[in-house]
Amino acid sequence: MTEGYVFLQDVRFHAFHGVMPQETKVGADFLVNLRIGYPIGKAMQTDEVADTLNYAEVYALVAQQMKQPSKLLEHVAGRIVQAISESFPLVTSIDLTMMKQNPPMGADAEGAGVEIHLINDKIV
């Protein structure tokens, strides 16, 4: 069995996550990156999407979670990792980064965010 990765890079969302009242009203822009460990050997042989992790389905799960407002990015990121793990039992690892662009913290910064690493159902 060949282990490989399926990834989504710099997926952009406008969402309403944050602690400040303005963040829940006007929202902010977010970037999400995912790298998901998955046994891709069969898909390498068959050329069938049913034999791999369908990144369109992964995107749909992420989009669904991004639509649900949360105060903390940790909470949103945790929900995303949980949804992927529950929906795709063959997933062996998940690396997720989520960045809020231009966060309201008084600094000139591209963004601030969180990073989660899940290996065999354990956050490391």
Side-chain angles (χ1 to χ4, degrees):
M1 185 178 299
T2 303
E3 177 77 11
Y5 297 92
V6 173
F7 68 91
L8 299 177
Q9 186 170 333
D10 291 338
V11 182
R12 299 176 195 287
F13 295 94
H14 187 82
F16 298 88
H17 310 304
V19 176
M20 306 297 288
Q22 71 197 44
E23 295 174 293
T24 61
K25 290 179 184 165
V26 300
D29 294 325
F30 296 84
L31 289 177
V32 175
N33 290 285
L34 281 164
R35 182 176 185 253
I36 303 169
Y38 199 81
I40 64 170
K42 188 172 180 183
M44 292 169 64
Q45 296 172 2
T46 66
D47 197 29
E48 295 294 331
V49 73
D51 294 330
T52 191
L53 180 61
N54 184 328
Y55 52 78
E57 292 177 7
V58 172
Y59 168 78
L61 284 176
V62 175
Q64 180 183 19
Q65 294 303 319
M66 290 299 290
K67 288 179 183 176
Q68 296 178 25
S70 290
K71 293 179 199 168
L72 301 178
L73 294 183
E74 292 86 346
H75 189 251
V76 182
R79 289 196 326 256
I80 291 170
V81 167
Q82 182 177 359
I84 292 170
S85 295
E86 290 174 358
S87 298
F88 306 105
L90 295 180
V91 164
T92 58
S93 65
I94 301 172
D95 295 319
L96 176 143
T97 60
M98 178 183 299
M99 181 178 76
K100 179 183 288 189
Q101 295 183 300
N102 195 23
M105 60 184 192
D108 182 13
E110 277 192 46
V114 297
E115 186 173 329
I116 294 177
H117 303 283
L118 181 82
I119 300 173
N120 295 323
D121 292 330
K122 293 181 183 174
I123 293 179
V124 295

